[in-house]
PDB file of all heavy atoms in Angstrom:
ATOM      1  N   GLU A  82    -119.974-144.105  99.434  1.00  0.00           N
ATOM      2  CA  GLU A  82    -121.090-143.277  98.962  1.00  0.00           C
ATOM      3  C   GLU A  82    -121.938-144.070  97.970  1.00  0.00           C
ATOM      4  O   GLU A  82    -121.464-145.011  97.321  1.00  0.00           O
ATOM      5  CB  GLU A  82    -120.552-141.996  98.315  1.00  0.00           C
ATOM      6  CG  GLU A  82    -121.600-140.983  97.912  1.00  0.00           C
ATOM      7  CD  GLU A  82    -122.537-140.613  99.052  1.00  0.00           C
ATOM      8  OE1 GLU A  82    -122.230-139.655  99.794  1.00  0.00           O
ATOM      9  OE2 GLU A  82    -123.580-141.292  99.180  1.00  0.00           O
ATOM     10  N   ASN A  83    -123.178-143.676  97.851  1.00  0.00           N
ATOM     11  CA  ASN A  83    -124.117-144.288  96.922  1.00  0.00           C
ATOM     12  C   ASN A  83    -123.677-144.079  95.475  1.00  0.00           C
ATOM     13  O   ASN A  83    -123.191-143.009  95.105  1.00  0.00           O
ATOM     14  CB  ASN A  83    -125.501-143.682  97.154  1.00  0.00           C
ATOM     15  CG  ASN A  83    -126.484-144.027  96.067  1.00  0.00           C
ATOM     16  OD1 ASN A  83    -126.713-143.215  95.171  1.00  0.00           O
ATOM     17  ND2 ASN A  83    -127.060-145.209  96.121  1.00  0.00           N
ATOM     18  N   ASP A  84    -123.885-145.107  94.631  1.00  0.00           N
ATOM     19  CA  ASP A  84    -123.399-145.046  93.259  1.00  0.00           C
ATOM     20  C   ASP A  84    -124.085-143.964  92.424  1.00  0.00           C
ATOM     21  O   ASP A  84    -123.416-143.284  91.624  1.00  0.00           O
ATOM     22  CB  ASP A  84    -123.514-146.415  92.578  1.00  0.00           C
ATOM     23  CG  ASP A  84    -124.916-147.024  92.659  1.00  0.00           C
ATOM     24  OD1 ASP A  84    -125.821-146.383  93.228  1.00  0.00           O
ATOM     25  OD2 ASP A  84    -125.095-148.156  92.166  1.00  0.00           O
ATOM     26  N   CYS A  85    -125.398-143.768  92.601  1.00  0.00           N
ATOM     27  CA  CYS A  85    -126.088-142.724  91.822  1.00  0.00           C
ATOM     28  C   CYS A  85    -125.555-141.336  92.161  1.00  0.00           C
ATOM     29  O   CYS A  85    -125.383-140.485  91.275  1.00  0.00           O
ATOM     30  CB  CYS A  85    -127.585-142.772  92.082  1.00  0.00           C
ATOM     31  SG  CYS A  85    -128.411-144.251  91.474  1.00  0.00           S
ATOM     32  N   LYS A  86    -125.295-141.116  93.426  1.00  0.00           N
ATOM     33  CA  LYS A  86    -124.782-139.813  93.848  1.00  0.00           C
ATOM     34  C   LYS A  86    -123.396-139.568  93.257  1.00  0.00           C
ATOM     35  O   LYS A  86    -123.070-138.454  92.817  1.00  0.00           O
ATOM     36  CB  LYS A  86    -124.766-139.730  95.367  1.00  0.00           C
ATOM     37  CG  LYS A  86    -126.166-139.724  95.993  1.00  0.00           C
ATOM     38  CD  LYS A  86    -126.092-139.690  97.496  1.00  0.00           C
ATOM     39  CE  LYS A  86    -127.486-139.553  98.126  1.00  0.00           C
ATOM     40  NZ  LYS A  86    -128.396-140.662  97.794  1.00  0.00           N
ATOM     41  N   LEU A  87    -122.564-140.595  93.248  1.00  0.00           N
ATOM     42  CA  LEU A  87    -121.230-140.453  92.673  1.00  0.00           C
ATOM     43  C   LEU A  87    -121.304-140.210  91.170  1.00  0.00           C
ATOM     44  O   LEU A  87    -120.537-139.409  90.623  1.00  0.00           O
ATOM     45  CB  LEU A  87    -120.396-141.691  92.971  1.00  0.00           C
ATOM     46  CG  LEU A  87    -120.033-141.907  94.439  1.00  0.00           C
ATOM     47  CD1 LEU A  87    -119.266-143.214  94.614  1.00  0.00           C
ATOM     48  CD2 LEU A  87    -119.204-140.747  94.981  1.00  0.00           C
ATOM     49  N   ALA A  88    -122.214-140.893  90.494  1.00  0.00           N
ATOM     50  CA  ALA A  88    -122.360-140.675  89.052  1.00  0.00           C
ATOM     51  C   ALA A  88    -122.783-139.243  88.761  1.00  0.00           C
ATOM     52  O   ALA A  88    -122.325-138.634  87.788  1.00  0.00           O
ATOM     53  CB  ALA A  88    -123.370-141.668  88.482  1.00  0.00           C
ATOM     54  N   ALA A  89    -123.649-138.687  89.610  1.00  0.00           N
ATOM     55  CA  ALA A  89    -124.045-137.285  89.437  1.00  0.00           C
ATOM     56  C   ALA A  89    -122.838-136.360  89.572  1.00  0.00           C
ATOM     57  O   ALA A  89    -122.667-135.415  88.790  1.00  0.00           O
ATOM     58  CB  ALA A  89    -125.118-136.925  90.463  1.00  0.00           C
ATOM     59  N   LEU A  90    -121.992-136.625  90.571  1.00  0.00           N
ATOM     60  CA  LEU A  90    -120.772-135.833  90.742  1.00  0.00           C
ATOM     61  C   LEU A  90    -119.895-135.900  89.504  1.00  0.00           C
ATOM     62  O   LEU A  90    -119.334-134.899  89.048  1.00  0.00           O
ATOM     63  CB  LEU A  90    -119.973-136.349  91.944  1.00  0.00           C
ATOM     64  CG  LEU A  90    -120.308-135.837  93.333  1.00  0.00           C
ATOM     65  CD1 LEU A  90    -119.368-136.474  94.339  1.00  0.00           C
ATOM     66  CD2 LEU A  90    -120.205-134.320  93.399  1.00  0.00           C
ATOM     67  N   ALA A  91    -119.757-137.106  88.953  1.00  0.00           N
ATOM     68  CA  ALA A  91    -118.898-137.290  87.783  1.00  0.00           C
ATOM     69  C   ALA A  91    -119.419-136.520  86.585  1.00  0.00           C
ATOM     70  O   ALA A  91    -118.641-135.915  85.830  1.00  0.00           O
ATOM     71  CB  ALA A  91    -118.793-138.779  87.449  1.00  0.00           C
ATOM     72  N   GLU A  92    -120.742-136.521  86.384  1.00  0.00           N
ATOM     73  CA  GLU A  92    -121.304-135.808  85.235  1.00  0.00           C
ATOM     74  C   GLU A  92    -121.073-134.303  85.363  1.00  0.00           C
ATOM     75  O   GLU A  92    -120.860-133.613  84.365  1.00  0.00           O
ATOM     76  CB  GLU A  92    -122.796-136.108  85.109  1.00  0.00           C
ATOM     77  CG  GLU A  92    -123.124-137.548  84.739  1.00  0.00           C
ATOM     78  CD  GLU A  92    -122.637-137.957  83.361  1.00  0.00           C
ATOM     79  OE1 GLU A  92    -122.333-137.068  82.534  1.00  0.00           O
ATOM     80  OE2 GLU A  92    -122.567-139.174  83.096  1.00  0.00           O
ATOM     81  N   ARG A  93    -121.107-133.788  86.571  1.00  0.00           N
ATOM     82  CA  ARG A  93    -120.843-132.359  86.747  1.00  0.00           C
ATOM     83  C   ARG A  93    -119.357-132.045  86.605  1.00  0.00           C
ATOM     84  O   ARG A  93    -118.965-130.955  86.173  1.00  0.00           O
ATOM     85  CB  ARG A  93    -121.334-131.894  88.116  1.00  0.00           C
ATOM     86  CG  ARG A  93    -121.183-130.388  88.323  1.00  0.00           C
ATOM     87  CD  ARG A  93    -121.890-129.934  89.584  1.00  0.00           C
ATOM     88  NE  ARG A  93    -121.882-128.482  89.688  1.00  0.00           N
ATOM     89  CZ  ARG A  93    -120.998-127.788  90.399  1.00  0.00           C
ATOM     90  NH1 ARG A  93    -120.060-128.405  91.098  1.00  0.00           N
ATOM     91  NH2 ARG A  93    -121.058-126.464  90.444  1.00  0.00           N
ATOM     92  N   TRP A  94    -118.501-132.999  86.963  1.00  0.00           N
ATOM     93  CA  TRP A  94    -117.061-132.793  86.921  1.00  0.00           C
ATOM     94  C   TRP A  94    -116.505-132.938  85.504  1.00  0.00           C
ATOM     95  O   TRP A  94    -115.816-132.044  85.008  1.00  0.00           O
ATOM     96  CB  TRP A  94    -116.392-133.809  87.855  1.00  0.00           C
ATOM     97  CG  TRP A  94    -114.896-133.749  87.923  1.00  0.00           C
ATOM     98  CD1 TRP A  94    -114.097-132.650  87.820  1.00  0.00           C
ATOM     99  CD2 TRP A  94    -114.012-134.867  88.095  1.00  0.00           C
ATOM    100  NE1 TRP A  94    -112.764-133.007  87.922  1.00  0.00           N
ATOM    101  CE2 TRP A  94    -112.696-134.350  88.104  1.00  0.00           C
ATOM    102  CE3 TRP A  94    -114.219-136.235  88.275  1.00  0.00           C
ATOM    103  CZ2 TRP A  94    -111.575-135.191  88.263  1.00  0.00           C
ATOM    104  CZ3 TRP A  94    -113.113-137.055  88.447  1.00  0.00           C
ATOM    105  CH2 TRP A  94    -111.797-136.530  88.431  1.00  0.00           C
ATOM    106  N   GLN A  95    -116.843-134.031  84.849  1.00  0.00           N
ATOM    107  CA  GLN A  95    -116.241-134.322  83.549  1.00  0.00           C
ATOM    108  C   GLN A  95    -117.245-134.711  82.476  1.00  0.00           C
ATOM    109  O   GLN A  95    -116.851-135.020  81.358  1.00  0.00           O
ATOM    110  CB  GLN A  95    -115.224-135.474  83.688  1.00  0.00           C
ATOM    111  CG  GLN A  95    -114.008-135.142  84.509  1.00  0.00           C
ATOM    112  CD  GLN A  95    -112.959-136.243  84.453  1.00  0.00           C
ATOM    113  OE1 GLN A  95    -113.149-137.284  83.822  1.00  0.00           O
ATOM    114  NE2 GLN A  95    -111.837-136.029  85.108  1.00  0.00           N
ATOM    115  N   GLY A  96    -118.523-134.706  82.801  1.00  0.00           N
ATOM    116  CA  GLY A  96    -119.495-135.269  81.884  1.00  0.00           C
ATOM    117  C   GLY A  96    -120.446-134.271  81.250  1.00  0.00           C
ATOM    118  O   GLY A  96    -120.060-133.164  80.863  1.00  0.00           O
ATOM    119  N   ALA A  97    -121.720-134.650  81.197  1.00  0.00           N
ATOM    120  CA  ALA A  97    -122.703-133.911  80.421  1.00  0.00           C
ATOM    121  C   ALA A  97    -123.244-132.680  81.126  1.00  0.00           C
ATOM    122  O   ALA A  97    -123.953-131.888  80.506  1.00  0.00           O
ATOM    123  CB  ALA A  97    -123.871-134.845  80.077  1.00  0.00           C
ATOM    124  N   ALA A  98    -122.923-132.484  82.399  1.00  0.00           N
ATOM    125  CA  ALA A  98    -123.520-131.376  83.155  1.00  0.00           C
ATOM    126  C   ALA A  98    -122.468-130.444  83.747  1.00  0.00           C
ATOM    127  O   ALA A  98    -122.668-129.869  84.820  1.00  0.00           O
ATOM    128  CB  ALA A  98    -124.415-131.934  84.260  1.00  0.00           C
ATOM    129  N   ARG A  99    -121.366-130.251  83.047  1.00  0.00           N
ATOM    130  CA  ARG A  99    -120.291-129.402  83.571  1.00  0.00           C
ATOM    131  C   ARG A  99    -120.682-127.938  83.700  1.00  0.00           C
ATOM    132  O   ARG A  99    -120.041-127.186  84.425  1.00  0.00           O
ATOM    133  CB  ARG A  99    -119.051-129.541  82.683  1.00  0.00           C
ATOM    134  CG  ARG A  99    -118.269-130.821  82.939  1.00  0.00           C
ATOM    135  CD  ARG A  99    -117.082-130.954  82.023  1.00  0.00           C
ATOM    136  NE  ARG A  99    -117.484-131.399  80.704  1.00  0.00           N
ATOM    137  CZ  ARG A  99    -116.632-131.749  79.745  1.00  0.00           C
ATOM    138  NH1 ARG A  99    -115.327-131.660  79.971  1.00  0.00           N
ATOM    139  NH2 ARG A  99    -117.066-132.167  78.576  1.00  0.00           N
ATOM    140  N   ASP A 100    -121.721-127.532  82.999  1.00  0.00           N
ATOM    141  CA  ASP A 100    -122.143-126.128  83.038  1.00  0.00           C
ATOM    142  C   ASP A 100    -123.310-125.895  83.988  1.00  0.00           C
ATOM    143  O   ASP A 100    -123.888-124.800  84.003  1.00  0.00           O
ATOM    144  CB  ASP A 100    -122.545-125.674  81.638  1.00  0.00           C
ATOM    145  CG  ASP A 100    -123.704-126.485  81.074  1.00  0.00           C
ATOM    146  OD1 ASP A 100    -123.909-127.639  81.527  1.00  0.00           O
ATOM    147  OD2 ASP A 100    -124.407-125.986  80.175  1.00  0.00           O
ATOM    148  N   ALA A 101    -123.679-126.891  84.793  1.00  0.00           N
ATOM    149  CA  ALA A 101    -124.892-126.786  85.604  1.00  0.00           C
ATOM    150  C   ALA A 101    -124.585-126.945  87.085  1.00  0.00           C
ATOM    151  O   ALA A 101    -123.667-127.672  87.476  1.00  0.00           O
ATOM    152  CB  ALA A 101    -125.907-127.843  85.169  1.00  0.00           C
ATOM    153  N   ASP A 102    -125.385-126.266  87.919  1.00  0.00           N
ATOM    154  CA  ASP A 102    -125.285-126.394  89.368  1.00  0.00           C
ATOM    155  C   ASP A 102    -126.479-127.132  89.968  1.00  0.00           C
ATOM    156  O   ASP A 102    -126.432-127.554  91.125  1.00  0.00           O
ATOM    157  CB  ASP A 102    -125.185-125.011  90.029  1.00  0.00           C
ATOM    158  CG  ASP A 102    -123.831-124.360  89.809  1.00  0.00           C
ATOM    159  OD1 ASP A 102    -122.841-125.099  89.602  1.00  0.00           O
ATOM    160  OD2 ASP A 102    -123.758-123.122  89.821  1.00  0.00           O
ATOM    161  N   ASP A 103    -127.551-127.262  89.183  1.00  0.00           N
ATOM    162  CA  ASP A 103    -128.763-127.935  89.662  1.00  0.00           C
ATOM    163  C   ASP A 103    -129.059-129.091  88.710  1.00  0.00           C
ATOM    164  O   ASP A 103    -129.508-128.877  87.572  1.00  0.00           O
ATOM    165  CB  ASP A 103    -129.930-126.954  89.715  1.00  0.00           C
ATOM    166  CG  ASP A 103    -129.682-125.838  90.720  1.00  0.00           C
ATOM    167  OD1 ASP A 103    -129.925-126.067  91.915  1.00  0.00           O
ATOM    168  OD2 ASP A 103    -129.206-124.759  90.308  1.00  0.00           O
ATOM    169  N   ILE A 104    -128.829-130.305  89.197  1.00  0.00           N
ATOM    170  CA  ILE A 104    -128.812-131.481  88.325  1.00  0.00           C
ATOM    171  C   ILE A 104    -129.584-132.621  88.968  1.00  0.00           C
ATOM    172  O   ILE A 104    -129.446-132.889  90.163  1.00  0.00           O
ATOM    173  CB  ILE A 104    -127.358-131.952  88.085  1.00  0.00           C
ATOM    174  CG1 ILE A 104    -126.497-130.819  87.512  1.00  0.00           C
ATOM    175  CG2 ILE A 104    -127.307-133.177  87.182  1.00  0.00           C
ATOM    176  CD1 ILE A 104    -125.016-131.023  87.750  1.00  0.00           C
ATOM    177  N   VAL A 105    -130.393-133.278  88.167  1.00  0.00           N
ATOM    178  CA  VAL A 105    -130.949-134.578  88.539  1.00  0.00           C
ATOM    179  C   VAL A 105    -130.302-135.620  87.634  1.00  0.00           C
ATOM    180  O   VAL A 105    -130.386-135.511  86.408  1.00  0.00           O
ATOM    181  CB  VAL A 105    -132.481-134.614  88.391  1.00  0.00           C
ATOM    182  CG1 VAL A 105    -132.989-136.060  88.490  1.00  0.00           C
ATOM    183  CG2 VAL A 105    -133.142-133.767  89.466  1.00  0.00           C
ATOM    184  N   TYR A 106    -129.640-136.583  88.237  1.00  0.00           N
ATOM    185  CA  TYR A 106    -129.033-137.679  87.480  1.00  0.00           C
ATOM    186  C   TYR A 106    -129.941-138.892  87.604  1.00  0.00           C
ATOM    187  O   TYR A 106    -130.289-139.318  88.714  1.00  0.00           O
ATOM    188  CB  TYR A 106    -127.648-138.002  88.037  1.00  0.00           C
ATOM    189  CG  TYR A 106    -127.038-139.250  87.425  1.00  0.00           C
ATOM    190  CD1 TYR A 106    -126.294-139.173  86.253  1.00  0.00           C
ATOM    191  CD2 TYR A 106    -127.210-140.500  88.016  1.00  0.00           C
ATOM    192  CE1 TYR A 106    -125.736-140.314  85.682  1.00  0.00           C
ATOM    193  CE2 TYR A 106    -126.659-141.638  87.456  1.00  0.00           C
ATOM    194  CZ  TYR A 106    -125.931-141.541  86.288  1.00  0.00           C
ATOM    195  OH  TYR A 106    -125.392-142.674  85.731  1.00  0.00           O
ATOM    196  N   LEU A 107    -130.359-139.455  86.472  1.00  0.00           N
ATOM    197  CA  LEU A 107    -131.198-140.645  86.458  1.00  0.00           C
ATOM    198  C   LEU A 107    -130.360-141.852  86.072  1.00  0.00           C
ATOM    199  O   LEU A 107    -129.805-141.899  84.963  1.00  0.00           O
ATOM    200  CB  LEU A 107    -132.345-140.477  85.452  1.00  0.00           C
ATOM    201  CG  LEU A 107    -133.329-139.331  85.687  1.00  0.00           C
ATOM    202  CD1 LEU A 107    -134.357-139.291  84.557  1.00  0.00           C
ATOM    203  CD2 LEU A 107    -134.018-139.471  87.036  1.00  0.00           C
ATOM    204  N   LEU A 108    -130.242-142.791  86.980  1.00  0.00           N
ATOM    205  CA  LEU A 108    -129.600-144.058  86.661  1.00  0.00           C
ATOM    206  C   LEU A 108    -130.656-144.943  86.019  1.00  0.00           C
ATOM    207  O   LEU A 108    -131.628-145.348  86.663  1.00  0.00           O
ATOM    208  CB  LEU A 108    -129.062-144.731  87.919  1.00  0.00           C
ATOM    209  CG  LEU A 108    -128.461-146.121  87.701  1.00  0.00           C
ATOM    210  CD1 LEU A 108    -127.096-146.003  87.038  1.00  0.00           C
ATOM    211  CD2 LEU A 108    -128.342-146.874  89.012  1.00  0.00           C
ATOM    212  N   ALA A 109    -130.500-145.216  84.725  1.00  0.00           N
ATOM    213  CA  ALA A 109    -131.470-146.010  83.984  1.00  0.00           C
ATOM    214  C   ALA A 109    -130.821-147.307  83.528  1.00  0.00           C
ATOM    215  O   ALA A 109    -129.940-147.310  82.677  1.00  0.00           O
ATOM    216  CB  ALA A 109    -132.001-145.222  82.783  1.00  0.00           C
ATOM    217  N   GLY A 110    -131.263-148.379  84.131  1.00  0.00           N
ATOM    218  CA  GLY A 110    -130.771-149.703  83.777  1.00  0.00           C
ATOM    219  C   GLY A 110    -131.757-150.726  84.301  1.00  0.00           C
ATOM    220  O   GLY A 110    -132.947-150.431  84.456  1.00  0.00           O
ATOM    221  N   MET A 111    -131.297-151.920  84.585  1.00  0.00           N
ATOM    222  CA  MET A 111    -132.187-152.902  85.198  1.00  0.00           C
ATOM    223  C   MET A 111    -132.554-152.501  86.616  1.00  0.00           C
ATOM    224  O   MET A 111    -133.389-153.138  87.255  1.00  0.00           O
ATOM    225  CB  MET A 111    -131.540-154.286  85.167  1.00  0.00           C
ATOM    226  CG  MET A 111    -131.257-154.790  83.760  1.00  0.00           C
ATOM    227  SD  MET A 111    -132.655-154.609  82.613  1.00  0.00           S
ATOM    228  CE  MET A 111    -133.835-155.734  83.343  1.00  0.00           C
ATOM    229  N   ARG A 112    -131.941-151.464  87.107  1.00  0.00           N
ATOM    230  CA  ARG A 112    -132.314-150.819  88.364  1.00  0.00           C
ATOM    231  C   ARG A 112    -132.359-149.321  88.104  1.00  0.00           C
ATOM    232  O   ARG A 112    -131.517-148.785  87.377  1.00  0.00           O
ATOM    233  CB  ARG A 112    -131.272-151.140  89.450  1.00  0.00           C
ATOM    234  CG  ARG A 112    -131.476-150.422  90.770  1.00  0.00           C
ATOM    235  CD  ARG A 112    -130.386-150.837  91.757  1.00  0.00           C
ATOM    236  NE  ARG A 112    -129.071-150.423  91.309  1.00  0.00           N
ATOM    237  CZ  ARG A 112    -128.517-149.245  91.591  1.00  0.00           C
ATOM    238  NH1 ARG A 112    -129.197-148.371  92.300  1.00  0.00           N
ATOM    239  NH2 ARG A 112    -127.311-148.950  91.170  1.00  0.00           N
ATOM    240  N   LEU A 113    -133.358-148.648  88.660  1.00  0.00           N
ATOM    241  CA  LEU A 113    -133.484-147.202  88.481  1.00  0.00           C
ATOM    242  C   LEU A 113    -133.143-146.489  89.784  1.00  0.00           C
ATOM    243  O   LEU A 113    -133.452-146.964  90.872  1.00  0.00           O
ATOM    244  CB  LEU A 113    -134.913-146.827  88.066  1.00  0.00           C
ATOM    245  CG  LEU A 113    -135.454-147.482  86.794  1.00  0.00           C
ATOM    246  CD1 LEU A 113    -136.830-146.922  86.459  1.00  0.00           C
ATOM    247  CD2 LEU A 113    -134.509-147.275  85.623  1.00  0.00           C
ATOM    248  N   GLY A 114    -132.496-145.355  89.661  1.00  0.00           N
ATOM    249  CA  GLY A 114    -132.135-144.563  90.829  1.00  0.00           C
ATOM    250  C   GLY A 114    -131.855-143.141  90.415  1.00  0.00           C
ATOM    251  O   GLY A 114    -131.906-142.792  89.228  1.00  0.00           O
TER     252      GLY A 114
END
């Protein structure tokens, strides 16, 4: 699976968005996604 999509899953599971069902995860680094 794509890394940005997996990071979004992780934030909903154990991270900053555990209380949300509608989430946009922004990968911000030397590459954006």
Side-chain angles (χ1 to χ4, degrees):
E82 186 53 90
N83 168 261
D84 53 1
C85 293
K86 293 178 175 60
L87 292 177
L90 274 181
E92 293 295 342
R93 184 170 187 263
W94 179 33
Q95 293 188 358
R99 282 178 282 188
D100 61 337
D102 287 334
D103 296 278
I104 304 158
V105 168
Y106 172 88
L107 299 178
L108 176 75
M111 299 312 294
R112 175 179 64 89
L113 303 185

